[in-house]
Amino acid sequence: MSHDSHHAPVACKTELAPERSDLGLYRPDRATGWTDWLTTVDHKKIGILYGAFAMLYFLIGGVEALAIRTQLARPDNDFVTARMYNQLFTMHGTTMIFLGVMPLSAAFFNFLVPLQVGARDVAFPRLNAFSLWTFVFGAFVLNASWLFEFGHLAGWFDSFAWHKALVYTDFAPANGWFSYAPLSGTFGANGQALRFTGVGTDFWIIGIQVLGIASLAASFNFICTIINMRAKGMTMMRLPVFTWMALVTSVLIILAFPAITVALIELMFDRAFGANFFNPSAGGQPVLWQHLFWIFGHPEVYILVLPAMGIVSEVLPTFSGKSLFGYPIIVFSGAVIGFLGFAVWSHHMFTTGLGPVPTAAFSLLTMAIAVPTGVKIFNWLGTIWGGRIRFTPPMVLALGFIWMFMCGGFSGVMHSSAPADSQQQDSYFVIAHFHYVLLGGVLLGLMAGLYFWFPKIFGRMPNAPVAYLGSALVILGFNLAFGPMHYLGLAGQPRRTHTYHAGNGWETWNYVATIGAYILGIGVVIVFGNLVWTAFRGKKCGSDPWDGRTLEWSLPSPVPEYNFAQAPVVATRDAFFEHKHGAKKIGLENDGGEAGVHMPSQSWMPMVASAGFLFIGFGMPMMAMGIPHAGWLVISGLGVLFLGIWLWALEGPGGYMLKTPAPSGAPAPAETVAH
Amino acid sequence: MSDTAAAHEAPTSTGIDHKKLIMWLFLASDCMFFGTLISTHLLYRKLFPAGFTDAEGHQRFIQDLFSIELTSFSTFILLMSSFLMALAVSAMHKGQVKSFRRNVLGVIVFGLIFLGCQVFEFTHFYHKGLTIQNSVLGSTFYVLTGTHGTHVAIGVLWLILLYFYSFTGKLGGHMGALDVEVAGLYWHFVDIVWIIIFTAVYLVEYLGPYGIWGSGLPAVVK
């Protein structure tokens, strides 16, 4: 190991003399600017990058949504073609779920989990960087399909021979975010692999596969961090609720993603190599795709919503001036939701004809999962009950979350009844339901989190009046857009249909929904724009502007790269709040803080390894498209991936010492507390 | 353990090393991965117990295809490789690098024998008419056992790298033993998965005169 070559402690990493890794290459430890961001292993910088990419994709997904709503504003509209419409709604759903909400949750996990458990970084800093860049490249591959689509529309490909061989020419994914077989699969006997859809589906398959790898790697890392890197005295039942929800979410990811990974492999084999997993002509069962997809897909819903629940569970106590009502029950409910989340997948498939016994069982379990969710809502109400409420921007958004999520929960319980669900299946009622859960619930929760922790991340306060305006527009526009869809769905309007004829009685509410969508769009731009402005120009603030409760608020804003100058020792839940206002509950571990803090070395290798996915991501669809020699691109991608991981292992963890400036990074008095 | 050297000495909250914990988590995830693949195969076996039709249009049964003697041999070889892996891990814990090298070389050779058997098996089945394209059985069989073979191949590659790394002198002490132990966990897991695949995909086809799916030919007809 290379740890005997440490340099003398310095206060700032740019003062370091360059250090060679075990490979003999210089580590980019002293880097600043671009190189620093590209090679960083700091969980805070990785979190910021995750957040920035997530916000970018939220805007792209939002533009897709507005194009959909513009098309539907009027009956028999021709703003986009049916073919384009299919691609828009598919990419809208895929983008929002995999490139918007999940990475934004990952941004919070990255930034907060080590701070909340009292650690200096995650368990595997370079693996964390690998997750980030794998996500970035996977997202790029998925969206690059749009570039091919635009190229096709512009006629750039018309002169290529292989282009004429394509019967179906959708270049961006066009199957819906669930890509049901056989539409996404193949037909024909003996490996003919005739397709219903174009190369967009292949981009979707490989894109989701790569994003899954990113999520899995990140989740292994977070579970390890939460279980193994807690500060002294930070027992599991003293963990902040957000960290608890990060743990449950990560467990869900590592157990649910393998199902979609396998399903994607099978579909890829069908399309690229003529296998018959979902090929009806050869006896393949398309309904198997539905099962595999929803065994992943339903836990995925909780993967999306649990982080937002965790955020709300931090925001509400802070601005009510009370501790969280029923902490153990909230934690237990979160775990039960995660557990039951694996037992309700077939409620997405009531109309496939499962038979009365499975249908009844899945109905029952779906109703049961509403119980822990309801328990959480009542606990949040109990938290604000009798509290001294401060209506700050995060609090407004968190209260909005409770209301909107509750509405989505009510229509969700309606779906759990199989006979009612048969009527609502594939109608706009379902669209209304899951947008209330995912937008009214998750997005409002995540926005609350952004406004809550931005002062910690950047040391600057968001502009409150602009935040109120943005929040109000988001909540108003959202209800205008999706409220009427309950009615439209029950009145029979089908989803995923590019237009509708006049005279069905759907015109008015579709028009209203479109107006609502534009108001929502303006609101989101204001909310995000305010945040971007805050990051660069906001008014500077102290380390604890909200009177926070958990460990991260005990650190300076922005947080120094080593987080804790000395490791904290906590003696209670909400230790920082108690420490400020009552008995001293945070001590400092004497771990030789004077000698300096050991920092992990930065590295290019995680990004090099994940760049392999870029080759694979473009190679696989081209191979399935029948472009000659495209398979070599895939093989070279695997080579790059292997090379990156190999050099990563050989370069060694490295590391350098930073001298901490006095105990300023630590909570006031340095005394040990009995616990 | 973690990338931070400070954590080398600092005990983790649970007392379990980070590297070991993350490997257990990966294996938990991999359980679901193989569980999904095996389920796919078994579902289709139940739906289509009749086997497959070869290129000449002849109905073929899975028992015609399998050479249970060969697969039993390769299964035994893989089991024994796990035994050698356990010896290699134990040697590394005692700091006996030479013993580690001997044993890990044995694991590598046994792993390669297993992979060779699989390559032979795939070629043999292909010539008997089972392709990935001509039936659902071909798709599920090749993808399931092929995925397992990929796991074995990655394990072999990993152990080869560890073997050569041990000559640099950097593989030693607690961290070296941990690195070997983590690779051992992976290897044992891949072995256990094969025991399940061997049972669920091969052995049950021989239960009773018609196989568990009620499809096979009686022994006399064969």
Side-chain angles (χ1 to χ4, degrees), chain A residues 129-139 210-211 213-215 606 609-611 613:
Chain A
F130 173 78
S131 303
L132 168 74
W133 295 114
T134 303
F135 152 68
V136 169
F137 292 136
V210 172
L211 293 169
I213 292 167
S215 298
S610 39
F613 292 120

Side-chain angles (χ1 to χ4, degrees), chain A residues 564-602:
Chain A
F564 296 89
Q566 275 177 287
V569 179
V570 297
T572 182
R573 196 180 293 155
D574 285 346
F576 183 58
F577 191 79
E578 302 277 331
H579 191 81
K580 278 186 293 186
H581 300 294
K584 300 296 171 230
K585 294 292 188 186
I586 303 180
L588 294 174
E589 198 181 323
N590 188 9
D591 61 349
E594 306 81 24
V597 178
H598 187 276
M599 302 294 295
S601 277
Q602 298 191 190

Side-chain angles (χ1 to χ4, degrees), chain A residues 260-590:
Chain A
I260 190 74
T261 306
V262 168
L264 290 169
I265 289 173
E266 292 177 349
L267 193 59
M268 185 184 84
F269 266 81
D270 275 11
R271 291 180 66 93
F273 307 116
N276 301 302
F277 287 102
F278 309 112
N279 175 3
S281 321
Q285 303 289 306
V287 77
L288 177 66
W289 170 269
Q290 294 197 26
H291 278 293
L292 294 183
F293 183 84
W294 288 116
I295 287 172
F296 147 78
H298 202 81
E300 170 73 13
V301 175
Y302 297 103
I303 291 167
L304 299 173
V305 79
L306 284 173
M309 288 178 162
I311 289 169
V312 168
S313 304
E314 301 286 339
V315 171
L316 291 175
T318 303
F319 297 112
S320 305
K322 288 173 65 191
S323 58
L324 187 66
F325 183 79
Y327 169 96
I329 299 294
I330 289 243
V331 168
F332 183 67
S333 301
V336 169
I337 289 173
F339 182 75
L340 281 180
F342 279 99
V344 295
W345 80 86
S346 281
H347 69 212
H348 296 269
M349 302 164 57
F350 280 148
T351 54
T352 55
L354 297 162
V357 174
T359 300
F362 280 107
S363 266
L364 200 67
L365 282 162
T366 306
M367 290 173 192
I369 205 167
V371 174
T373 317
V375 167
K376 282 196 165 214
I377 302 242
F378 280 113
N379 277 286
W380 290 327
L381 296 181
T383 305
I384 52 179
W385 181 264
R388 189 175 295 170
I389 297 176
R390 288 177 286 156
F391 284 101
T392 57
M395 185 63 170
V396 169
L397 287 159
L399 292 173
F401 166 93
I402 298 183
W403 268 107
M404 298 300 109
F405 184 74
M406 207 162 64
C407 294
F410 288 152
S411 53
V413 176
M414 292 168 77
H415 288 144
S416 69
S417 161
D421 184 72
S422 311
Q423 299 297 311
Q424 295 149 1
Q425 172 98 18
D426 278 343
S427 77
Y428 264 78
F429 191 84
V430 180
I431 308 264
H433 157 68
F434 70 70
H435 279 90
Y436 266 83
V437 174
L438 292 181
L439 210 164
V442 178
L443 185 61
L444 286 184
L446 291 174
M447 283 176 171
L450 286 171
Y451 274 90
F452 187 53
W453 279 295
F454 245 57
K456 179 50 61 186
I457 299 172
F458 294 105
R460 294 170 185 274
M461 289 299 274
N463 180 314
V466 177
Y468 292 133
L469 174 70
S471 314
L473 286 178
V474 165
I475 293 174
L476 172 77
F478 161 73
N479 280 293
L480 262 184
F482 295 101
M485 288 188 194
H486 290 106
Y487 166 77
L488 285 172
L490 293 181
Q493 190 180 355
R495 344 167 27 177
R496 304 183 206 109
T497 310
H498 77 287
T499 192
Y500 53 91
H501 294 309
N504 285 314
W506 303 336
E507 296 93 332
T508 315
W509 290 115
N510 268 303
Y511 196 66
V512 170
T514 301
I515 293 171
Y518 274 94
I519 296 174
L520 172 61
I522 294 166
V524 170
V525 167
I526 292 175
V527 166
F528 283 179
N530 189 17
L531 288 171
V532 173
W533 177 85
T534 303
F536 296 103
R537 293 272 181 280
K539 198 169 146 237
K540 293 208 166 155
C541 64
S543 63
D544 184 22
W546 305 124
D547 195 11
R549 312 181 68 85
T550 41
L551 277 182
E552 73 268 26
W553 300 107
S554 72
L555 299 170
S557 304
V559 181
E561 50 192 325
Y562 46 81
N563 295 357
F564 296 89
Q566 275 177 287
V569 179
V570 297
T572 182
R573 196 180 293 155
D574 285 346
F576 183 58
F577 191 79
E578 302 277 331
H579 191 81
K580 278 186 293 186
H581 300 294
K584 300 296 171 230
K585 294 292 188 186
I586 303 180
L588 294 174
E589 198 181 323
N590 188 9

